[in-house]
Protein backbone atom coordinates (compact mmCIF):
# COMPACT_ATOMS: atom_id res chain seq x y z
CA UNK A 1 0.00 0.00 0.00
CA UNK A 2 1.25 3.49 -0.79
CA UNK A 3 1.60 6.01 2.02
CA UNK A 4 -0.76 8.87 1.22
CA UNK A 5 -1.80 10.30 4.60
CA UNK A 6 1.42 11.86 5.88
CA UNK A 7 1.29 15.03 3.80
CA UNK A 8 4.19 17.42 4.47
CA UNK A 9 4.86 16.32 8.05
CA UNK A 10 8.58 15.70 8.79
CA UNK A 11 7.73 12.36 10.42
CA UNK A 12 5.39 9.69 9.13
CA UNK A 13 3.97 6.74 11.08
CA UNK A 14 1.74 4.12 9.52
CA UNK A 15 0.83 0.45 9.79
CA UNK A 16 1.43 -1.53 6.60
CA UNK A 17 -1.19 -4.07 5.52
CA UNK A 18 0.92 -5.40 2.68
CA UNK A 19 3.95 -4.33 0.74
CA UNK A 20 4.65 -0.71 1.68
CA UNK A 21 5.81 1.94 -0.77
CA UNK A 22 7.03 5.26 0.59
CA UNK A 23 7.60 8.17 -1.78
CA UNK A 24 9.36 11.29 -0.53
CA UNK A 25 9.35 14.45 -2.65
CA UNK A 26 11.82 17.25 -1.90
CA UNK A 27 10.88 20.67 -3.17
CA UNK A 28 13.37 23.42 -3.86
CA UNK A 29 13.53 26.27 -1.35
CA UNK A 30 12.18 29.35 -3.20
CA UNK A 31 14.66 31.50 -1.32
CA UNK A 32 17.68 29.82 -2.94
CA UNK A 33 16.19 28.06 -6.00
CA UNK A 34 16.28 29.23 -9.60
CA UNK A 35 13.43 29.18 -12.08
CA UNK A 36 14.04 26.83 -15.00
CA UNK A 37 11.83 27.61 -18.00
CA UNK A 38 11.36 25.28 -20.96
CA UNK A 39 9.78 25.85 -24.36
CA UNK A 40 8.99 23.51 -27.27
CA UNK A 41 9.69 25.40 -30.49
CA UNK A 42 9.31 24.75 -34.21
CA UNK A 43 6.55 23.54 -36.50
CA UNK A 44 6.93 19.94 -35.31
CA UNK A 45 6.03 18.36 -32.01
CA UNK A 46 7.95 16.83 -29.12
CA UNK A 47 8.32 16.70 -25.35
CA UNK A 48 10.78 17.83 -22.70
CA UNK A 49 10.96 16.00 -19.37
CA UNK A 50 13.40 16.22 -16.48
CA UNK A 51 14.46 14.59 -13.23
CA UNK A 52 13.43 17.61 -11.11
CA UNK A 53 9.75 17.97 -11.96
CA UNK A 54 9.89 20.07 -15.10
CA UNK A 55 7.71 18.74 -17.90
CA UNK A 56 6.80 20.44 -21.17
CA UNK A 57 4.72 18.30 -23.52
CA UNK A 58 3.74 18.95 -27.11
CA UNK A 59 3.96 21.68 -29.71
CA UNK A 60 4.02 25.23 -28.37
CA UNK A 61 4.43 24.17 -24.75
CA UNK A 62 5.91 26.62 -22.23
CA UNK A 63 6.52 25.46 -18.66
CA UNK A 64 8.71 26.23 -15.66
CA UNK A 65 9.79 24.74 -12.34
CA UNK A 66 12.00 25.65 -9.41
CA UNK A 67 15.32 23.85 -8.99
CA UNK A 68 17.91 24.12 -6.24
CA UNK A 69 21.49 24.75 -7.39
CA UNK A 70 22.87 21.53 -8.86
CA UNK A 71 23.14 19.42 -11.99
CA UNK A 72 20.04 17.90 -13.56
CA UNK A 73 19.05 15.95 -16.65
CA UNK A 74 16.66 16.96 -19.42
CA UNK A 75 15.28 14.43 -21.89
CA UNK A 76 13.60 15.08 -25.20
CA UNK A 77 11.16 12.81 -27.02
CA UNK A 78 10.15 13.31 -30.64
CA UNK A 79 6.49 12.83 -31.47
CA UNK A 80 5.39 10.96 -34.59
CA UNK A 81 5.84 13.01 -37.74
CA UNK A 82 8.67 15.20 -36.44
CA UNK A 83 12.43 15.19 -35.99
CA UNK A 84 14.55 16.85 -33.34
CA UNK A 85 16.49 19.91 -34.51
CA UNK A 86 18.33 20.50 -31.25
CA UNK A 87 18.52 22.09 -27.82
CA UNK A 88 18.70 25.85 -27.45
CA UNK A 89 19.02 28.61 -24.90
CA UNK A 90 21.04 27.58 -21.86
CA UNK A 91 20.99 23.98 -23.16
CA UNK A 92 22.46 24.79 -26.58
CA UNK A 93 25.71 22.96 -25.81
CA UNK A 94 23.77 19.68 -25.74
CA UNK A 95 23.25 19.87 -29.51
CA UNK A 96 21.10 17.03 -30.86
CA UNK A 97 21.63 14.61 -27.98
CA UNK A 98 18.51 12.95 -26.62
CA UNK A 99 19.48 13.82 -23.05
CA UNK A 100 21.03 17.03 -21.77
CA UNK A 101 22.93 17.69 -18.55
CA UNK A 102 21.88 21.06 -17.18
CA UNK A 103 23.70 23.00 -14.47
CA UNK A 104 21.49 25.28 -12.38
CA UNK A 105 22.79 28.06 -10.15
CA UNK A 106 20.81 30.90 -8.58
CA UNK A 107 19.96 32.77 -11.80
CA UNK A 108 16.97 31.93 -14.04
CA UNK A 109 17.62 29.27 -16.70
CA UNK A 110 15.89 29.07 -20.07
CA UNK A 111 16.00 26.01 -22.32
CA UNK A 112 14.34 25.22 -25.61
CA UNK A 113 13.90 22.12 -27.74
CA UNK A 114 13.05 22.59 -31.41
CA UNK A 115 11.16 20.05 -33.53
CA UNK A 116 10.26 20.26 -37.21
CA UNK A 117 8.14 18.09 -39.53
CA UNK A 118 10.24 15.24 -40.91
CA UNK A 119 10.43 13.40 -44.21
CA UNK A 120 8.83 9.93 -43.91
CA UNK A 121 11.32 7.07 -44.36
CA UNK A 122 9.83 3.58 -44.65
CA UNK A 123 11.83 0.38 -44.23
CA UNK A 124 10.05 -2.67 -45.66
CA UNK A 125 11.03 -6.22 -46.49
CA UNK A 126 10.13 -8.99 -48.90
CA UNK A 127 10.93 -12.67 -48.56
CA UNK A 128 11.67 -14.70 -45.44
CA UNK A 129 13.08 -12.43 -42.76
CA UNK A 130 12.71 -14.92 -39.86
CA UNK A 131 14.44 -13.42 -36.80
CA UNK A 132 16.89 -11.28 -38.77
CA UNK A 133 16.86 -7.64 -37.71
CA UNK A 134 16.80 -4.44 -39.72
CA UNK A 135 17.81 -1.24 -37.98
CA UNK A 136 17.24 2.27 -39.18
CA UNK A 137 18.86 5.34 -37.66
CA UNK A 138 20.00 8.82 -38.51
CA UNK A 139 23.78 9.14 -38.48
CA UNK A 140 24.98 11.36 -35.65
CA UNK A 141 21.79 10.99 -33.64
CA UNK A 142 20.74 8.72 -30.82
CA UNK A 143 17.23 7.91 -32.06
CA UNK A 144 17.03 4.55 -33.85
CA UNK A 145 14.41 1.94 -34.63
CA UNK A 146 14.67 -1.81 -34.95
CA UNK A 147 12.46 -3.94 -37.20
CA UNK A 148 12.23 -7.62 -36.35
CA UNK A 149 9.79 -10.49 -36.64
CA UNK A 150 7.27 -8.67 -34.44
CA UNK A 151 7.58 -5.38 -36.37
CA UNK A 152 8.63 -6.26 -39.91
CA UNK A 153 8.22 -2.75 -41.29
CA UNK A 154 9.40 0.57 -39.82
CA UNK A 155 8.45 4.15 -40.47
CA UNK A 156 10.23 7.13 -39.00
CA UNK A 157 10.80 10.78 -39.84
CA UNK A 158 14.17 12.31 -40.68
CA UNK A 159 15.50 15.75 -41.45
CA UNK A 160 15.86 16.65 -45.15
CA UNK A 161 19.49 16.12 -46.07
CA UNK A 162 20.16 13.76 -43.16
CA UNK A 163 22.29 10.66 -43.69
CA UNK A 164 20.41 7.52 -42.73
CA UNK A 165 21.89 4.11 -41.97
CA UNK A 166 19.94 0.90 -42.57
CA UNK A 167 21.28 -2.48 -41.57
CA UNK A 168 20.17 -6.11 -41.78
CA UNK A 169 21.42 -6.68 -38.25
CA UNK A 170 21.00 -5.03 -34.89
CA UNK A 171 24.74 -4.43 -34.75
CA UNK A 172 26.23 -2.83 -37.83
CA UNK A 173 29.54 -4.69 -37.62
CA UNK A 174 27.87 -8.06 -38.25
CA UNK A 175 27.80 -9.62 -41.75
CA UNK A 176 24.53 -9.66 -43.71
CA UNK A 177 21.80 -11.98 -42.44
CA UNK A 178 22.02 -15.47 -43.90
CA UNK A 179 19.06 -15.04 -46.26
CA UNK A 180 19.59 -11.36 -47.03
CA UNK A 181 19.81 -10.67 -50.78
CA UNK A 182 19.82 -6.95 -51.52
CA UNK A 183 18.48 -3.45 -50.88
CA UNK A 184 16.24 -1.53 -53.26
CA UNK A 185 14.68 1.91 -53.32
CA UNK A 186 17.82 4.00 -52.81
CA UNK A 187 20.81 4.45 -55.11
CA UNK A 188 24.16 3.01 -54.15
CA UNK A 189 22.89 0.25 -51.84
CA UNK A 190 23.08 -3.32 -53.14
CA UNK A 191 24.09 -6.43 -51.18
CA UNK A 192 26.13 -4.96 -48.32
CA UNK A 193 24.96 -5.40 -44.72
CA UNK A 194 24.94 -1.65 -44.05
CA UNK A 195 23.53 0.95 -46.42
CA UNK A 196 23.94 4.73 -46.10
CA UNK A 197 21.75 7.15 -48.03
CA UNK A 198 20.73 10.80 -47.95
CA UNK A 199 17.14 11.82 -47.22
CA UNK A 200 15.51 14.07 -49.80
CA UNK A 201 12.42 16.20 -49.43
CA UNK A 202 9.77 13.59 -50.29
CA UNK A 203 8.75 10.29 -48.73
CA UNK A 204 11.23 7.42 -49.25
CA UNK A 205 10.84 3.64 -49.10
CA UNK A 206 13.80 1.30 -48.67
CA UNK A 207 13.18 -2.43 -49.15
CA UNK A 208 15.31 -5.27 -47.83
CA UNK A 209 14.86 -8.41 -49.93
CA UNK A 210 15.42 -11.73 -48.21
CA UNK A 211 15.59 -15.00 -50.12
CA UNK A 212 13.12 -17.85 -49.53
CA UNK A 213 14.44 -21.09 -47.97
CA UNK A 214 13.67 -24.36 -49.79
CA UNK A 215 13.43 -27.80 -48.18
CA UNK A 216 11.87 -31.20 -48.95
CA UNK A 217 10.84 -33.89 -46.43
CA UNK A 218 10.40 -37.47 -47.64
CA UNK A 219 7.98 -39.66 -45.72
CA UNK A 220 6.16 -42.95 -46.17
CA UNK A 221 7.00 -46.66 -46.45
CA UNK A 222 8.24 -46.50 -50.05
CA UNK A 223 11.40 -44.97 -51.44
CA UNK A 224 12.47 -42.72 -54.25
CA UNK A 225 14.28 -39.55 -55.16
CA UNK A 226 13.24 -35.88 -55.29
CA UNK A 227 15.13 -33.27 -57.26
CA UNK A 228 14.46 -29.62 -57.97
CA UNK A 229 15.25 -27.10 -60.70
CA UNK A 230 16.48 -24.64 -59.64
CA UNK A 231 17.25 -25.00 -55.94
CA UNK A 232 19.67 -27.90 -56.03
CA UNK A 233 17.50 -30.33 -54.07
CA UNK A 234 18.56 -33.98 -54.49
CA UNK A 235 16.93 -35.99 -51.74
CA UNK A 236 16.28 -39.69 -51.08
CA UNK A 237 15.36 -39.67 -47.38
CA UNK A 238 14.64 -37.38 -44.44
CA UNK A 239 14.69 -33.61 -44.91
CA UNK A 240 16.93 -31.98 -47.51
CA UNK A 241 17.63 -28.28 -47.96
CA UNK A 242 18.09 -26.58 -51.30
CA UNK A 243 19.49 -23.23 -52.33
CA UNK A 244 17.36 -20.20 -51.38
CA UNK A 245 15.14 -18.66 -54.06
CA UNK A 246 14.52 -15.04 -55.01
CA UNK A 247 11.07 -13.61 -54.36
CA UNK A 248 8.89 -14.40 -57.39
CA UNK A 249 11.19 -17.16 -58.66
CA UNK A 250 9.53 -20.46 -59.69
CA UNK A 251 10.83 -23.92 -58.79
CA UNK A 252 9.99 -27.37 -60.18
CA UNK A 253 10.21 -30.53 -58.10
CA UNK A 254 10.48 -33.95 -59.72
CA UNK A 255 9.71 -37.15 -57.78
CA UNK A 256 11.15 -40.43 -59.13
CA UNK A 257 10.00 -43.60 -57.33
CA UNK A 258 12.32 -46.61 -57.02
Amino acid sequence: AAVTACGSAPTCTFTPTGRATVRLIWKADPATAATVSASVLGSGSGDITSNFGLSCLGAGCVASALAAPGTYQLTMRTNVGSYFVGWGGDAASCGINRTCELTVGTSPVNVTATFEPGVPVNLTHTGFMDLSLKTISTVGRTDAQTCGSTQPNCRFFAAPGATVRVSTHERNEQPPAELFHSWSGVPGCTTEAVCLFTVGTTEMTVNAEFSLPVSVTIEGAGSGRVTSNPGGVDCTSGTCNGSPLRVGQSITFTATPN
Side-chain angles (χ1 to χ4, degrees):
V3 179
T4 59
C6 292
S8 58
T11 59
C12 181
T13 302
F14 67 98
T15 302
T17 57
R19 180 177 179 178
T21 301
V22 179
R23 183 185 182 198
L24 177 64
I25 303 174
W26 292 109
K27 292 187 176 180
D29 183 355
T32 58
T35 299
V36 181
S37 301
S39 303
V40 173
L41 304 180
S43 300
S45 179
D47 302 331
I48 302 173
T49 56
S50 73
N51 61 353
F52 62 94
L54 176 65
S55 180
C56 194
L57 309 179
C61 173
V62 176
S64 63
L66 290 176
T71 301
Y72 302 94
Q73 181 173 285
L74 301 173
T75 302
M76 75 82 187
R77 185 179 71 88
T78 304
N79 292 333
V80 174
S82 301
Y83 72 93
F84 181 52
V85 176
W87 297 100
D90 292 317
S93 61
C94 294
I96 59 174
N97 293 323
R98 188 177 68 87
T99 60
C100 177
E101 189 175 271
L102 183 69
T103 300
V104 177
T106 57
S107 300
V109 177
N110 293 282
V111 300
T112 65
T114 301
F115 303 87
E116 295 293 348
V119 177
V121 179
N122 305 296
L123 184 60
T124 62
H125 88 282
T126 53
F128 186 76
M129 190 172 68
D130 193 20
L131 296 180
S132 301
L133 299 174
K134 305 190 302 294
T135 61
I136 183 167
S137 61
T138 307
V139 176
R141 296 178 179 267
T142 56
D143 47 345
Q145 295 189 35
T146 298
C147 297
S149 57
T150 58
Q151 186 185 356
N153 299 311
C154 284
R155 178 180 174 90
F156 90 130
F157 297 82
T163 299
V164 170
R165 175 191 291 113
V166 288
S167 171
T168 59
H169 273 287
E170 186 174 17
R171 297 178 180 86
N172 290 331
E173 68 271 13
Q174 292 181 340
E178 181 180 358
L179 292 174
F180 175 69
H181 184 272
S182 61
W183 301 102
S184 61
V186 290
C189 295
T190 53
T191 59
E192 59 272 22
V194 178
C195 167
L196 297 175
F197 63 92
T198 301
V199 176
T201 57
T202 58
E203 183 169 350
M204 305 180 69
T205 297
V206 185
N207 185 70
E209 180 185 336
F210 292 82
S211 299
L212 302 172
V214 175
S215 65
V216 171
T217 299
I218 295 180
E219 299 175 347
S223 63
R225 179 184 182 188
V226 177
T227 59
S228 73
N229 182 32
V233 172
D234 191 345
C235 193
T236 57
S237 63
T239 298
C240 302
N241 296 321
S243 301
L245 299 178
R246 294 284 305 276
V247 174
Q249 185 178 7
S250 298
I251 185 172
T252 300
F253 289 96
T254 301
T256 304
N258 291 333

